[in-house]
Amino acid sequence: MTKWTDFLKEEGISQEIIKDIELFNETHRSKDVYKSRIPDPKYLYYGKDTWEKALCSILAGENILLAGPKATGKNVLAQNLAAVFERPIWDVSFHINVDASWLIGTDTYDGEKVVFRQGPILKCALNGGFGVLDEINMARNEALAVLHSVLDFRRVLDVPGYERTSLDDATRFIATMNYGYAGTRDLNEALCSRFAVIDMPVISDDDLKRLIMREFPDIRKDICDQFTYLYKEIEKKAESAQITERALDLRGLLDAISLMRKGIKSGPAISMCIVNKTFDSYERKLVQDVVDARIPADLDRKVIFA
């Protein structure tokens, strides 16, 4: 497991903030039954400024909205925050079928009697969890209306036919929002005002290198540099609208390196995890040209890893 205090110090987070986190964790102990929900993230988020904004917002009792384009680490940061604050996490991925009863809960028959089945928002509220509201700008208005009293100063949840529920002091909600995805829309002013909004920056060259080196400690530095430059060149082409964002896939880059470690050569690995995610033939050719200019197709793990 990651030693979060050491990691935050490496990121340059002040000792005062770290002490406040430790006090929060001492004051708000998670129930043993939900400790399995406390994440142990596979990836770490890098970026001092964003870390400081998110940590201080959580400590101040705010809910946060992580907004930005693809591949900026929104879900990675949400998982990291839950781990740092040692909170159980409830994930809600919004889509057209998510409604109020799915979020709060509903009456159901257990074979003997009618019982109330708690939804993820109610469970999170009662147990001091961190609720990750993924792709919140894809949610239906009915579903979003349920969240208003949960997210503002009232911090309560009215369950029709049941008691009014107050949120546990440790409960926080972290929403994520991508720009420009099909089916998304702008959040209304009332909902947006209930969040501290963090505009997620693209990962820097240095932080990307750190991420790759941490995930693959035995990778050769010069090869790591080439993978970083490859990703950044794809990013530039996406920003200038020469290609879509399909090929801008940080997870895909890390997956490709994992395949190389298992024995697949660089060309096929990058094709599987990056190039082939673009289905337009002309665009795929542009991406392939960027790859060919940076990474020889026949590199094997003996060359890539020390």
Side-chain angles (χ1 to χ4, degrees):
M1 296 204 34
T2 302
K3 293 182 178 179
W4 288 104
T5 300
D6 293 341
F7 174 72
L8 293 177
K9 287 178 181 176
E10 290 174 13
E11 285 296 288
I13 305 302
S14 71
Q15 189 61 40
E16 289 77 12
I17 294 176
I18 292 174
K19 285 182 178 178
D20 286 344
I21 294 169
E22 291 172 344
L23 178 60
F24 181 99
N25 294 347
E26 284 292 327
T27 305
H28 304 94
R29 294 286 188 180
S30 297
K31 297 177 183 177
D32 289 341
V33 68
Y34 289 121
K35 284 194 173 178
S36 63
R37 282 186 168 271
I38 300 174
D40 180 18
K42 180 178 180 181
Y43 300 118
L44 301 181
Y45 182 85
Y46 293 94
K48 176 180 181 290
D49 290 344
T50 304
W51 263 116
E52 285 185 339
K53 292 174 184 176
L55 293 171
C56 290
S57 297
I58 296 292
L59 290 168
E62 299 288 338
N63 302 298
I64 58 179
L65 172 61
L66 308 178
K70 178 183 177 183
T72 49
K74 295 180 288 295
N75 288 104
V76 171
L77 178 57
Q79 293 278 320
N80 281 204
L81 287 169
V84 166
F85 286 98
E86 300 177 3
R87 305 314 303 164
I89 200 168
W90 275 267
D91 291 294
V92 177
S93 294
F94 282 100
H95 54 81
I96 194 64
N97 293 323
V98 172
D99 59 14
S101 63
W102 192 93
L103 293 172
I104 300 176
T106 187
D107 289 329
T108 187
Y109 186 64
D110 69 356
E112 296 181 357
K113 60 185 182 300
V114 174
V115 297
F116 184 76
R117 177 189 59 80
Q118 294 180 352
I121 296 297
L122 181 55
K123 286 184 178 179
C124 183
L126 290 172
N127 296 290
F130 277 18
V132 178
L133 311 176
D134 197 23
E135 306 289 5
I136 194 171
N137 54 334
M138 294 185 72
R140 295 162 55 182
N141 287 332
E142 177 199 1
L144 294 179
V146 171
L147 301 176
H148 284 185
S149 64
V150 173
L151 296 171
D152 68 16
F153 66 93
R154 290 170 288 178
R155 290 178 61 83
V156 296
L157 185 59
D158 264 319
V159 182
Y162 294 87
E163 293 296 322
R164 183 180 173 101
T165 300
S166 296
L167 273 64
D168 185 280
D169 286 343
T171 301
R172 303 287 189 276
F173 289 95
I174 304 170
T176 71
M177 184 177 81
N178 280 300
Y179 300 141
Y181 274 20
T184 63
R185 55 194 175 85
D186 290 338
L187 293 185
N188 65 56
E189 184 178 347
L191 186 65
C192 197
S193 69
R194 287 165 164 81
F195 290 101
V197 181
I198 299 176
D199 190 20
M200 298 290 287
V202 296
I203 190 168
S204 69
D205 293 24
D206 288 342
D207 286 340
L208 180 53
K209 290 177 186 178
R210 291 173 63 201
L211 173 59
I212 295 173
M213 293 295 293
R214 190 178 189 104
E215 293 302 314
F216 307 97
D218 55 342
I219 194 171
R220 283 176 43 190
K221 185 180 181 303
D222 58 329
I223 299 294
C224 176
D225 290 345
Q226 291 304 314
F227 284 133
T228 301
Y229 300 145
L230 169 64
Y231 182 81
K232 285 298 176 178
E233 287 179 18
I234 293 174
E235 182 180 87
K236 288 178 182 177
K237 286 191 176 294
E239 288 176 352
S240 62
Q242 296 180 55
I243 61 174
T244 64
E245 291 186 341
R246 283 185 178 272
L248 185 62
D249 190 345
L250 184 51
R251 282 187 293 262
L253 177 64
L254 299 174
D255 290 343
I257 299 173
S258 293
L259 291 180
M260 295 174 210
R261 173 180 268 170
K262 295 299 182 183
I264 296 180
K265 290 191 174 182
S266 55
I270 294 174
S271 292
M272 293 165 64
C273 298
I274 297 178
V275 179
N276 291 350
K277 292 181 179 179
T278 300
F279 301 116
D280 179 81
S281 59
Y282 175 73
E283 185 177 346
R284 187 183 300 178
K285 179 66 165 57
L286 290 178
V287 177
Q288 188 64 59
D289 288 345
V290 175
V291 173
D292 291 342
R294 278 289 173 194
I295 310 293
D298 60 349
L299 296 183
D300 59 26
R301 60 184 172 189
K302 293 180 181 178
V303 175
I304 297 169
F305 301 99

